[in-house]
Amino acid sequence: MSSDSPTSAKILNLERASNFMRQFRDPDSRELKKLSANQFMEVWSHYDRDGNGYIEGTELDGFLKEFVSSANFTDISPDVSIHH
C-alpha cells in the first residue's frame, strides 16, 4: 500500500485530530480548563508511556508538542518536528 493512499491520508488526519490535551481546553477560547486530581493523573499516565512515574525525554517532547498544539487552532501531529 502506498503512503499517499486515501487510507493513509485518513489515518494521518485522525492522528492530527486526536490531540489528547484538546479535551482539557475550552473549544472556543482554547483556555485550559481546571483539572481535577483524577484528570491530572489521567494526563500524567497518558504521557508516562513507560509507567516509571516520570515524564522524560520523548514523553516530555510529546506532551509539550500536544500541549502547545492544543492551544492552536491548527493541529500539529505530535510526531512533527518544527524547525526554524
Side-chain angles (χ1 to χ4, degrees):
M1 176 175 356
S2 108
S3 64
D4 45 13
S5 72
T7 303
S8 295
K10 287 178 184 176
I11 291 170
L12 181 59
N13 288 336
L14 178 61
E15 288 172 352
R16 286 185 177 159
S18 62
N19 182 313
F20 186 76
M21 290 302 299
R22 175 127 321 129
Q23 67 187 306
F24 301 107
R25 290 201 181 268
D26 179 274
D28 297 320
S29 69
R30 299 293 178 152
E31 289 184 19
L32 194 60
K33 298 174 187 175
K34 291 182 181 180
L35 299 179
S36 69
N38 287 339
Q39 289 171 317
F40 177 83
M41 290 310 298
E42 180 184 351
V43 170
W44 189 274
S45 295
H46 178 80
Y47 291 102
D48 181 19
R49 299 280 182 179
D50 60 8
N52 70 353
Y54 297 91
I55 297 177
E56 55 198 356
T58 57
E59 297 168 335
L60 183 58
D61 289 343
F63 167 75
L64 292 173
K65 287 175 185 174
E66 283 196 20
F67 183 78
V68 169
S69 178
S70 72
N72 296 327
F73 287 97
T74 57
D75 278 325
I76 298 172
S77 173
D79 298 325
V80 173
S81 296
I82 301 173
H83 299 284
H84 295 281

